[in-house]
Every structure is written in C-alpha cells, then in structure tokens.
Amino acid sequence: MNVPKGYPQPENSRGSLRAIQAWVNDNETDSIELVTKQLSLKGKLQWVSPIRSNSMAEFRDVGFLEKVGVADKITVPLHNFWPSRGPQWDGLGVTDTQEVILVEAKANLKELKSPGSKAGEQSLALIKQTLDEVKEGLGIGAHFDWTKTYYQYANRVAHLYYLRELNGIKAFLINLYFIGDYSVTCPSSVKDWQVAIGQTKKILGLDHEHVLQPYMVDLFVDVKTMKGI
C-alpha cells in the first residue's frame, strides 16, 4: 500500500496554521467530540492530518485520497476532475465507518478572499469545465464565477462534490473559523465571521438549499480555549 508523505508544515507558526495544529494534536479529544456531534458521524473519528509525528504534513491530489483510505474506492479518476496541484487540505480525518472529513481553516477575514485561479490554459479549461458541472449539479447559475475572488472556497466545495456525488464517498467539509487569534487580524466574535461567510456564499450562489448543504458545516473555535463556540 502506498503511504503518502504529504507536505510537512512548520510548528509554532501563526494564524490558522498554528491554530489547527494545536486543535488537532493538543486538543484531540475536544476537537473529535465537536466534529462528531456537529456532523452526527456514525463512526469513531481519527485525525490523520496534521499530525505531529508526521511533521504536521498536509495532503493534496491523490495523496489526500490515499491518506483517508478511499483511493481504491474512486470510480472517477481525480485527474479527470481536477489538474495536479489541487487543494492542499488543512486537516483530514476518517472514521472507522469510512466517513471522510475535509477541513479548511481560517483565522483571518482576508483569508476568505483568495486570488483567482492561476492555472495554465489547459488546466484552467478543465477547472472551468468542472466548476460549471458542479454548479449545475448544485442548481447554481452559470453566471456565478467560481474562478475569481472566492476560488479557494469554491474548489473545496467542488472536491466535496467529487467525493460524495461522483464517487459515493461519505465525505464532509468543515470550514473551521478561529476566533481571538491575536497573532493575526482575527475576528473576535462569531458574528464577524458570519457576515463575511454570508457574503462569500451569496457571491458564489451557495446561499440556498443544495445537495451538499447537509454535509458542509461552519465551526467556530476560540483559540484561547480551543473549544467550539
């Protein structure tokens, strides 16, 4: 079995990188309990990234599929859906009933806005084709452009669609928002985050019911206590 090594990350950095490392490694019991409850998971959850014993490595492309143990269950090859150098996940988890948890972490409002796709012509064509297919599957109009300001948020949603809708994997997406992190310009309240999140979803056309909605959750965690709010 191929064991991916991932992309090692520095410890004791700042912002969401440091916060998610502490949340997963130093507050494992609380983080697992919060996620299990919020997602109503059926199985016992284990974090597989970022893990201190594996140099806090993050994973992307086929490596993330291998890390959560679903690479052999994929029927639509990832390279047909997305070019290489796709999303690098801040956190990954899996349960003993093969539920997959994808985590995208933020500690700064500016992180919500990402640069548009910088892919080359051939890769960009595949990305646009895929995003159009995902939008159609979610009942979102083609006029919503997912390759611009909120491209990162959009491509995470697309990969949830890839797992659940195209491959039948029991996957969930957590958008994890930290509060009170004074190492960066971090919101001090849930409300501050919710205003920005609402704008993001509106601009992407995700502010309505869709098939992925039950499998996406926004979690808010205080960096001082590492408890959910």
Side-chain angles (χ1 to χ4, degrees):
M1 179 180 176
N2 184 26
V3 180
K5 293 182 179 180
Y7 299 84
Q9 303 297 312
E11 273 199 73
N12 301 315
S13 183
R14 61 200 294 266
S16 58
L17 180 62
R18 181 180 65 182
I20 192 172
Q21 291 173 354
W23 191 63
V24 166
N25 289 272
D26 303 325
N27 298 269
E28 180 182 14
T29 300
D30 288 339
S31 62
I32 286 176
E33 181 179 338
L34 177 62
V35 171
T36 299
K37 180 179 179 180
Q38 291 295 317
L39 295 178
S40 299
L41 299 178
K42 305 301 181 185
K44 183 178 179 181
L45 175 62
Q46 176 186 6
W47 294 119
V48 295
S49 170
I51 299 299
R52 185 169 284 118
S53 61
N54 191 34
S55 302
M56 299 296 191
E58 296 177 354
F59 296 83
R60 70 194 314 171
D61 300 334
V62 176
F64 97 85
L65 299 176
E66 294 171 341
K67 192 64 179 177
V68 295
V70 300
D72 61 345
K73 299 175 178 61
I74 296 298
T75 55
V76 177
L78 184 57
H79 67 260
N80 289 347
F81 179 83
W82 206 267
S84 61
R85 297 189 63 78
Q88 184 164 305
W89 297 100
D90 294 327
L92 293 170
V94 63
T95 72
D96 55 5
T97 54
Q98 297 184 321
E99 297 161 295
V100 172
I101 312 301
L102 311 173
V103 183
E104 177 66 28
K106 304 293 184 193
N108 190 327
L109 286 173
K110 291 181 179 180
E111 289 182 285
L112 275 176
K113 294 184 177 181
S114 60
S117 174
K118 299 185 185 307
E121 183 177 350
Q122 185 174 356
S123 294
L124 185 59
L126 175 57
I127 289 170
K128 287 182 174 180
Q129 175 184 314
T130 290
L131 293 179
D132 285 344
E133 290 175 1
V134 173
K135 285 186 290 183
E136 182 177 0
L138 299 182
I140 296 172
H143 62 283
F144 289 96
D145 192 341
W146 280 19
T147 65
K148 302 298 184 186
T149 304
Y150 296 103
Y151 169 67
Q152 186 186 73
Y153 191 102
N155 66 41
R156 270 55 174 176
V157 174
H159 278 70
L160 178 64
Y161 186 91
Y162 170 76
L163 290 175
R164 289 206 73 100
E165 300 301 309
L166 300 185
N167 289 284
I169 304 296
K170 295 178 289 186
F172 301 83
L173 173 62
I174 293 174
N175 283 295
L176 179 63
Y177 301 102
F178 290 104
I179 291 172
D181 185 348
Y182 298 111
S183 73
V184 292
T185 307
C186 182
S188 58
S189 71
V190 172
K191 183 178 180 180
D192 288 341
W193 273 120
Q194 288 176 329
V195 170
I197 294 165
Q199 181 184 27
T200 301
K201 292 179 179 179
K202 183 177 181 179
I203 289 175
L204 294 175
L206 287 166
D207 57 339
H208 66 86
E209 292 187 11
H210 52 80
V211 296
L212 293 182
Q213 194 172 46
Y215 314 109
M216 297 171 56
V217 64
D218 298 330
L219 292 185
F220 304 92
V221 172
D222 189 320
V223 296
K224 295 184 292 295
T225 63
M226 286 294 164
K227 302 286 187 180
I229 299 175

